[in-house]
């Protein structure tokens, strides 16, 4: 099938969707809704509108002008209203020596940002429960949102329906949609890292894995010290299961279950791209269409086991096939409940039909086993607009677009994805945070990747290394890729190096 035909087909899909009722939502831009000074004074917008947006399921990104010479844009993992303010956790940071370079002995750098101007920071050395410091500050902030449509389903604590239908959550999950919940009692909003539908298709449940313990301090939320991960499973019958584990070690801090009233939101800007059987043989869609979407910056979701949808943390394209690294899955004993001893359920999914799994204890270098299976899979692509704004050669030479276009997008709160082109494969990441340097370059950090290798005997697949390490990267518009490697579950340095790579930059405003 020719590339011209595939490109035309892709355009037809987007045009068809643009004519549908959901077109306005799918072409919605990131919008500056509120800005505060360091002392909490309103600089732009109304704080009430920010609160209303977060309680209506909006995604949030925050730009901080004073961090870095040109400013700093960060993704947000969860939000919560507190005393007529909003606080947001930004957890995907590793400490840096410069905008494009990690520290030699880096630490995780967790940030809590509040609309009062208060920012609270907790630091933990990678692979252990040793604090590298905790402190507060006050900074200017610009809050950008992308609004979801009205909730597709709403219920009370005991699961009694208020509006909508649980089937709409299930249909949206099976169509690859982003699912977001708002806990009306807590004023808490979060996007699900993965979703699962029950066998009888009556209940859906989603995991939220990226939350660190916090406490109230006046109008702010702050990290409490001696922190733990706060894993949760949210179910459409009102059940919330919570499992707590120390940051950096395999020490359980308790588990609990409660009933909460929730609103469920679905971002339906997704399109089925490719469906194959367990041998990787086409059943529907097109592998070429999926690959083209990946290579032009679009996000991807995968449906596995006919019930679980999840977004890859890293995508490798090798020999024309897609390999998706999945790190945002944790073990469950059933649809709505974590196992007592929680472990990571990491997978690499390939369009050949191969699923490779590794099971590591949370916070510990202990491999509980691995499996290799052949499975049918369905792949989805997001249909929002992604623009290629810059291509830089490995020496930083601009081949297309401009660095200023990328900077302008960051200043507008845009999401950023990039593709690294190597000799034997290409890797695509989402930027977790971005910093603009004094000389007009950009450094994009990505922290959720575990080391992979080419699968022996295969020209198409990648798999986990035997002794895997976290593979933290900062990619810059100079072509430099700074890499800090740390053994999974241990404070063991596996090398800090850099290389130079051709990079293509994509933005979704």
């Amino acid at each position: 099938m020719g590339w011209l035909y595939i490109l035309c087909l892709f355009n037809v899909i987007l045009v068809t969707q643009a004519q549908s009722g959901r077109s306005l939502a799918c072409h919605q831009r990131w919008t500056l809704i509120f800005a505060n000074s360091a002392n909490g004074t309103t600089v732009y917008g109304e704080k009430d509108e920010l609160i209303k947006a977060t309680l209506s399921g909006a995604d949030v990104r925050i730009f901080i002008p004073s961090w870095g010479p040109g400013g700093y844009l960060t993704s947000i993992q969860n939000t919560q209203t507190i005393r007529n303010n909003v606080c947001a956790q930004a957890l995907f940071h590793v400490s840096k020596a410069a905008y494009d370079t990690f520290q030699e002995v880096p630490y995780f750098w967790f940030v809590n940002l509040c609309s009062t101007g208060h920012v609270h920071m907790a630091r933990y050395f990678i692979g252990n429960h040793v604090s590298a410091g905790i402190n507060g500050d006050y900074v200017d902030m610009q809050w950008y949102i992308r609004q979801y449509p009205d909730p597709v389903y709403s219920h009370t604590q005991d699961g009694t329906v208020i509006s909508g239908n649980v089937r709409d959550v299930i249909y949206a999950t099976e169509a690859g949609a982003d699912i977001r919940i708002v806990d009306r009692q807590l004023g808490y909003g979060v996007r699900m890292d993965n979703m699962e539908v029950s066998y009888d298709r009556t209940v859906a449940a989603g995991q939220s894995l990226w939350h660190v313990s916090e406490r109230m301090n006046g109008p702010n939320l702050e990290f409490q010290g001696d922190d733990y991960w706060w894993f949760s499973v949210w179910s459409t019958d009102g059940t919330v299961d919570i499992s707590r584990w120390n940051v950096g070690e395999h020490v359980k801090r308790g588990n609990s279950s409660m009933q909460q009233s929730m609103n469920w939101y679905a971002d339906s800007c997704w399109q089925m791209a490719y469906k194959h059987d367990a041998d990787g043989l086409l059943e529907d869609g097109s592998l070429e269409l999926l690959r083209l979407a990946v290579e032009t910056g679009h996000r991807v979701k995968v449906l596995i086991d006919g019930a679980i949808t999840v977004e890859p943390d890293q995508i490798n394209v090798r020999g024309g096939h897609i390999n998706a690294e999945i790190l945002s899955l944790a073990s469950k004993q059933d649809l709505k409940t974590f196992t007592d001893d929680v472990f990571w359920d990491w997978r690499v999914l390939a369009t050949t039909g191969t699923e490779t799994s590794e099971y590591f204890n949370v916070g510990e270098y202990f491999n509980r086993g691995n499996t290799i299976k052949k499975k049918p899979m369905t792949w989805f692509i997001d249909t929002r607009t992604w623009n290629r704004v810059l291509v830089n050669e490995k020496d930083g030479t601009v081949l297309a677009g401009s660095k200023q276009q990328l900077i302008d997008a960051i200043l507008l709160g845009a999401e950023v994805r990039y593709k690294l082109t190597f000799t034997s494969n290409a890797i695509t990441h989402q930027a977790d945070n971005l910093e603009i340097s004094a000389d007009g370059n950009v450094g994009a950090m990505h922290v959720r990747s575990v080391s992979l290798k080419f699968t022996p005997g295969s020209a198409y697949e990648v798999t986990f290394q035997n002794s895997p390490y976290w593979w933290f990267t900062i990619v810059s518009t100079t072509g430099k890729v700074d890499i800090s490697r740390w053994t999974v579950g241990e404070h063991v340095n596996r090398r800090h190096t850099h290389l130079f790579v051709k990079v293509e930059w994509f933005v979704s405003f």
Side-chain angles (χ1 to χ4, degrees):
M1 190 177 292
W3 280 106
L4 180 60
Y5 173 80
I6 295 299
L7 184 57
C8 292
L9 177 61
F10 192 60
N11 287 334
V12 166
I13 289 172
L14 296 185
V15 169
T16 299
Q17 187 190 56
Q19 295 170 344
S20 72
R22 62 185 181 178
S23 62
L24 291 179
C26 296
H27 292 279
Q28 184 187 48
R29 297 168 69 94
W30 287 95
T31 302
L32 176 63
I33 192 171
F34 180 71
N36 59 266
S37 67
N39 65 10
T41 302
T42 297
V43 175
Y44 175 86
E46 299 290 338
K47 189 180 292 184
D48 287 348
E49 291 301 309
L50 173 62
I51 294 170
K52 179 181 176 181
T54 58
L55 293 178
S56 298
D59 275 325
V60 176
R61 294 170 67 76
I62 298 178
F63 182 79
I64 303 170
S66 61
W67 285 3
Y72 189 95
L73 180 66
T74 183
S75 61
I76 296 297
Q77 281 63 69
N78 56 75
T79 61
Q80 188 167 345
T81 58
I82 172 175
R83 298 186 183 178
N84 296 319
N85 284 288
V86 176
C87 292
Q89 285 197 344
L91 305 176
F92 297 151
H93 312 270
V94 171
S95 61
K96 300 185 293 185
Y99 85 97
D100 64 348
T101 308
F102 290 107
Q103 292 183 347
E104 286 304 314
V105 183
Y107 45 77
F108 284 119
W109 184 52
F110 303 140
V111 182
N112 225 323
L113 298 153
C114 296
S115 57
T116 60
H118 184 60
V119 54
H120 200 247
M121 295 166 278
R123 304 166 180 85
Y124 284 88
F125 286 110
I126 294 160
N128 61 29
H129 192 60
V130 175
S131 173
I134 186 168
N135 70 289
D137 198 0
Y138 292 87
V139 299
D140 297 351
M141 303 177 197
Q142 297 171 9
W143 299 70
Y144 290 84
I145 66 158
R146 183 180 273 168
Q147 194 71 53
Y148 280 47
D150 291 337
V152 296
Y153 183 55
S154 181
H155 58 77
T156 62
Q157 284 179 276
D158 62 4
T160 301
V161 177
I162 296 174
S163 65
N165 194 305
V166 67
R167 288 194 299 271
D168 292 324
V169 179
I170 293 169
Y171 293 153
T173 296
E174 294 174 336
D178 283 340
I179 303 295
R180 191 173 181 88
I181 66 98
V182 170
D183 183 322
R184 295 196 303 277
Q185 292 152 271
L186 298 176
Y188 178 81
V190 66
R191 191 166 74 186
M192 297 293 97
D193 294 310
N194 61 75
M195 288 291 298
E196 184 174 0
V197 175
S198 64
Y199 180 77
D200 61 2
R201 301 182 73 250
T202 60
V203 178
Q207 288 187 343
S208 171
L209 302 176
W210 306 112
H211 186 113
V212 171
S213 56
E214 57 196 350
R215 64 186 178 190
M216 295 174 58
N217 185 2
N220 302 308
L221 288 173
E222 297 183 348
F223 298 106
Q224 61 184 34
D226 190 23
D227 293 292
Y228 53 82
W229 292 105
W230 192 77
F231 300 155
S232 51
V233 179
W234 304 78
S235 303
T236 52
D237 64 1
T239 303
V240 184
D241 191 61
I242 301 170
S243 186
R244 304 170 182 86
W245 294 85
N246 268 0
V247 171
E249 62 182 356
H250 192 65
V251 173
K252 190 171 184 178
R253 296 285 289 274
N255 61 276
S256 58
S257 183
M258 56 187 180
Q259 294 291 129
Q260 297 294 101
S261 57
M262 307 175 211
N263 291 344
W264 293 76
Y265 297 84
D267 175 10
S268 56
C269 305
W270 291 82
Q271 170 80 37
M272 193 281 289
Y274 183 48
K275 183 178 181 180
H276 58 79
D277 66 12
D279 294 316
L281 299 177
L282 171 69
E283 291 188 341
D284 198 1
S286 162
L287 175 57
E288 290 84 355
L289 173 59
L290 173 61
R291 186 170 59 241
L292 178 62
V294 169
E295 292 177 344
T296 53
H298 289 259
R299 292 170 56 205
V300 170
K301 293 273 190 74
V302 193
L303 172 66
I304 52 177
D305 301 326
I308 300 172
T309 55
V310 63
E311 182 174 1
D313 298 284
Q314 175 175 302
I315 299 175
N316 289 58
V317 180
R318 183 176 182 225
H321 277 275
I322 306 300
N323 292 262
E325 183 178 54
I326 307 296
L327 302 181
S328 296
L329 277 171
S331 59
K332 295 193 295 183
Q333 65 181 12
D334 55 44
L335 179 76
K336 302 185 293 182
T337 311
F338 289 108
T339 54
D340 183 63
D341 190 15
V342 175
F343 55 89
W344 293 114
D345 180 1
W346 289 342
R347 310 188 192 192
V348 176
L349 309 173
T351 48
T352 59
T354 300
E355 176 195 76
T356 305
S357 299
E358 295 277 349
Y359 310 107
F360 272 87
N361 276 354
V362 171
E364 183 179 33
Y365 186 67
F366 181 78
N367 190 331
R368 302 173 66 119
N370 53 71
T371 60
I372 300 176
K373 299 178 181 178
K374 299 290 286 185
K375 288 186 175 181
M377 304 174 195
T378 304
W379 300 73
F380 303 90
I381 54 176
D382 81 314
T383 55
R384 293 188 183 274
T385 301
W386 287 86
N387 299 309
R388 191 179 74 167
V389 294
L390 173 66
V391 181
N392 61 262
E393 189 51 271
K394 61 184 179 180
D395 63 358
T397 302
V398 174
L399 302 178
S402 71
K403 294 179 184 179
Q404 191 60 49
Q405 284 181 273
L406 176 60
I407 290 172
D408 289 345
I410 293 169
L411 294 174
L412 292 172
E415 286 181 276
V416 177
R417 294 177 65 82
Y418 54 82
K419 183 176 75 171
L420 308 174
T421 301
F422 299 92
T423 302
S424 301
N425 72 330
I427 295 175
T428 301
H429 284 159
Q430 181 112 358
D432 292 321
N433 58 74
L434 301 116
E435 182 177 345
I436 303 170
S437 72
D439 61 356
N441 282 292
V442 172
M445 183 183 297
H446 179 80
V447 304
R448 289 163 299 149
S449 289
V450 169
S451 58
L452 301 172
K453 64 180 180 181
F454 294 150
T455 301
S458 173
Y460 309 111
E461 297 175 2
V462 298
T463 188
F464 292 105
Q465 292 189 358
N466 294 334
S467 178
Y469 49 80
W470 291 106
W471 190 65
F472 306 130
T473 54
I474 304 175
V475 177
S476 79
T477 49
T478 63
K480 177 185 174 183
V481 180
D482 198 63
I483 307 169
S484 185
R485 306 168 179 85
W486 291 82
T487 296
V488 170
E490 291 186 341
H491 188 63
V492 175
N493 192 339
R494 298 283 288 276
R495 285 187 305 149
H496 180 194
T497 63
H498 66 265
L499 46 81
F500 293 90
V501 182
K502 176 183 175 182
V503 189
E504 296 180 57
W505 300 82
F506 304 92
V507 303
S508 179
F509 289 98

